[in-house]
Amino acid sequence: MANEPGDLGVLTPYVRSLGIELAHWDGGMPVMRVAFDEAVEGRPEHYHGGATGGLLETAGYAALRAELARSGREAMLKPINITVQYLSAGKSRESFARGRITKLGRRSANITVEAWQDDPARPIATAVMNVLMADSES
Amino acid sequence: MSDTPRFDPKAATPFLTSRGHSGWLGLKYSTHGEDWVELELPWRTDLLGEEGQHVLASGPILSLMDMASGLAIWKAMDRFEPIATLDLRVDYVRPAREGAAVYGRSQCYRVTRSAAFVRGLAHDGDADDPVAHVQAVFMKIGGKDAREVPNGQ
């Protein structure tokens, strides 16, 4: 089983540029982390909604890649859509996010993601994503 | 009140995108109307979504639309006040073309005492052939915001 996000192809140029990295694995799923710095800041001392969305999306793809690797599947992932719920303001400290595969089909996957700061039980944002899985050869 | 400063997206955008997440993305003013604003996300190779693929990641489009929506709301209200995204949905209908700037156009179609509703699209040169569609709700969060936004001076 792959145990580095690099193996899973999660650390894309966008993800590295924004400063998102693997924090640790929890229950077989990667937990992604981003430090608070200017690249994620919206109004002063708070996360930009777009940066929080990017963290959620990244954790969603990471979860799907981990699940596909476990089942020995390879696929190109293409976004279909994402719906983000912003629950409370992201403050000026590091944030985490973890995805859960709600439904893994042959051609598409449905993923729910939660982001938090101090307490995983008090998420600052959640997301539902649909992702298309295309054959790697195509 | 005639002395209330009008919100000018063209003058405010360079200030709002000079730093932070919008500055990191390099967002620029494109154009605007009475209740809508369009921003430009220039092509950048460090925003690609998949190693070895020349396709813009989806995250920057979400950020572009979030920012364009905020500006559209301030334009529709004709003033700057703190707002926070409550709910944002993005449908990615096709990949953006390699090397192309992506434009995010958002319209604020309704403002209530506490919420603002927007819809928009992202395109890579032809607004009739979008790369993404967006629907979002923002909340006014009251309170004070230390930022002073220039209004064309």
Side-chain angles (χ1 to χ4, degrees), chain A residues 87-132:
Chain A
L87 307 174
S88 60
K91 306 284 180 52
S92 54
R93 49 185 176 270
E94 66 182 352
S95 294
F96 302 89
R98 189 176 89 146
R100 184 170 65 85
I101 312 301
T102 319
K103 156 84 192 271
L104 181 63
R106 192 173 58 82
R107 295 178 56 224
S108 71
N110 184 278
I111 307 160
T112 56
V113 195
E114 294 194 352
W116 68 91
Q117 293 194 307
D118 304 316
D119 182 358
R122 292 174 53 227
I124 58 165
T126 66
V128 179
M129 302 165 59
N130 288 290
V131 178
L132 189 68

Side-chain angles (χ1 to χ4, degrees), chain B residues 56-78:
Chain B
L56 177 70
S58 45
I61 294 178
L62 189 151
S63 297
L64 166 71
M65 297 314 303
D66 188 71
M67 199 65 206
S69 297
L71 282 152
I73 291 165
W74 295 321
K75 179 69 184 88
M77 297 193 301
D78 205 18

Side-chain angles (χ1 to χ4, degrees), chain A residues 12-14 16-18 38-39 41 43 48-51 57 61 65 76-77 79-86, chain B residues 19-22 24 46-51 57-60 62-63 66-67 85-92 141:
Chain A
T12 64
Y14 162 73
R16 285 197 305 268
S17 181
L18 193 54
E38 202 186 317
E41 191 174 15
R43 64 194 167 91
H48 192 283
E57 229 176 28
Y61 285 124
R65 288 197 183 280
M76 294 249 312
L77 305 185
I80 299 173
N81 63 9
I82 182 168
T83 305
V84 183
Q85 309 292 319
Y86 294 91
Chain B
R19 57 180 307 282
H21 188 63
S22 301
W24 170 76
D46 61 339
L47 296 181
L48 296 182
E50 192 134 20
E51 207 68 67
S58 45
L62 189 151
S63 297
D66 188 71
M67 199 65 206
T85 322
L86 180 69
D87 172 299
L88 184 148
R89 174 201 174 105
V90 187
D91 291 326
Y92 301 105
I141 54 179

